Amino acid sequence: MFMKQAEESERSGRQEGVPGRKNVSGPGPGPRRRSVQIFLWILAGVFLTLLVPKRDFAGVIFLNSTPTGVLTVPSQSYAELRFRDVVRQKYDFSCGSAAVATLLTFEYLRPTTETEAFRFMYKTGDRKKIRKHGFSLLDIKRYLGSLGYKSDGYRLSLDKLMELSLPAIVLIEVNGYKHFVVIKGVSRQNVLIGDPSMGLRMETRTHFRTLWKNKIVFVIHEGPDILITRKTFNNPQDWNIVNISVPANVVKNNLPLSTQLLAVPGPNQFQLGGFAKIGIP
């Protein structure tokens, strides 16, 4: 009887794995079996990462698996989108060269790097003043002239820029710091700005006027394919980047730009009622 109880107890220990009793149910997982388990866990982890879209970084978004495999699409961060149609300045004093490169590349569809503009303007300009104050409108005018464009500063309202679909370089002042930006679009309430230091951004007209101290716009008024800005100014994709609906009240004008500038007075004259050409310098 005692022996029978002992045998039953031993069998119970084998099944339940009671400490101190010999378990003869079989050996534990061997090295090969453990390797397979680890591999399966890694594979499951990789599969789960493929199911979750990546949103924080630029590069490639991995979407859910498709019948043909994993679908990938290119992506951009918001920081990259802001500089999609704006040339970023490389130096503290190079906003002028980056602004003119932005104007030519994205408004007049003439690809231009900041380096190209910088080298010409630095070589032909007053280097001491450039290092201290940055480039001037005169430096920009000389560079554009070397490319066959005629440009000048004007007293021109935001409404007139919108009417003419005319991009412009303007000098703004933020906390005492003077900075060149490009006006890339204008609506009834807002101004779309290509800022070489911050990228594409939007300001209300009211706030923009507080930054735009001298009320002078620097525009190209003669040169190759200057009417191309009728297509590039107020670009809907640019407005979408700054989370503003595409302006529906943008006025389009098909008259030649030269015709509309015939009444402009001579150099160094100011005319508050309309717009006047400003001598550079």
Side-chain angles (χ1 to χ4, degrees):
M1 184 70 178
F2 177 79
M3 291 296 295
K4 186 177 181 180
Q5 291 178 348
E7 289 175 357
E8 291 177 354
S9 177
E10 184 175 1
R11 284 196 298 269
S12 177
R14 291 172 186 173
Q15 295 173 357
E16 299 176 3
V18 178
R21 292 182 178 173
K22 186 178 180 180
N23 189 340
V24 294
S25 61
R32 183 175 180 180
R33 186 176 178 184
R34 285 196 297 268
S35 298
V36 172
Q37 290 176 341
I38 293 173
F39 173 76
L40 291 176
W41 278 109
I42 294 175
L43 187 62
V46 171
F47 181 75
L48 288 175
T49 59
L50 294 178
L51 295 178
V52 181
K54 300 178 181 180
R55 299 190 179 108
D56 295 334
F57 302 98
V60 175
I61 293 179
F62 295 86
L63 302 177
N64 293 341
S65 297
T66 66
T68 58
V70 177
L71 176 64
T72 62
V73 295
S75 65
Q76 285 184 305
S77 68
Y78 181 67
E80 288 177 322
L81 283 175
R82 288 191 292 111
F83 281 96
R84 189 192 66 176
D85 289 345
V86 179
V87 176
R88 188 195 299 263
Q89 67 184 84
K90 296 180 180 179
Y91 310 102
D92 290 340
F93 57 89
S94 66
C95 62
S97 56
V100 71
T102 297
L103 183 73
L104 290 173
T105 301
F106 300 110
E107 303 302 321
Y108 289 91
L109 304 184
R110 179 181 180 131
T112 305
T113 65
E114 183 199 16
T115 300
E116 292 170 346
F118 184 97
R119 286 177 176 173
F120 182 93
M121 294 193 292
Y122 192 72
K123 181 179 179 180
T124 59
D126 188 326
R127 299 185 181 184
K128 185 176 180 180
K129 288 184 178 180
I130 292 172
R131 285 192 295 267
K132 185 176 181 179
H133 303 291
F135 293 111
S136 66
L137 288 178
L138 178 59
D139 297 320
I140 296 175
K141 179 182 174 70
R142 287 171 176 165
Y143 176 63
L144 290 173
S146 72
L147 301 177
Y149 295 100
K150 291 185 179 181
S151 55
D152 281 291
Y154 292 88
R155 287 277 185 178
L156 197 62
S157 68
L158 293 175
D159 286 332
K160 200 64 179 180
L161 285 180
M162 183 172 66
E163 178 185 337
L164 298 174
S165 296
L166 188 62
I169 295 176
V170 297
L171 186 67
I172 62 174
E173 186 173 336
V174 182
N175 297 325
Y177 176 71
K178 295 181 179 180
H179 182 57
F180 282 119
V181 298
V182 178
I183 296 179
K184 295 172 65 67
V186 180
S187 71
R188 295 299 183 191
Q189 294 82 28
N190 303 304
V191 182
L192 185 65
I193 300 171
D195 189 327
S197 65
M198 299 177 62
L200 195 66
R201 62 191 182 92
M202 184 272 298
E203 297 285 355
T204 65
R205 283 195 179 207
T206 301
H207 185 245
F208 179 75
R209 289 190 183 98
T210 66
L211 305 176
W212 185 28
K213 306 292 185 182
N214 60 15
K215 303 300 185 290
I216 296 174
V217 297
F218 186 81
V219 299
I220 294 174
H221 56 82
E222 189 175 335
D225 297 326
I226 61 171
L227 294 183
I228 194 65
T229 60
R230 302 281 166 81
K231 298 180 179 180
T232 58
F233 193 73
N234 270 328
N235 186 338
Q237 293 181 350
D238 288 341
W239 283 102
N240 287 335
I241 290 176
V242 294
N243 296 321
I244 299 296
S245 59
V246 180
N249 52 11
V250 171
V251 179
K252 290 297 181 180
N253 191 326
N254 294 321
L255 292 176
L257 182 60
S258 57
T259 301
Q260 300 179 67
L261 295 179
L262 289 177
V264 175
N268 301 309
Q269 294 184 13
F270 294 82
Q271 181 178 329
L272 298 179
F275 55 93
K277 184 176 181 181
I278 309 301
I280 305 297

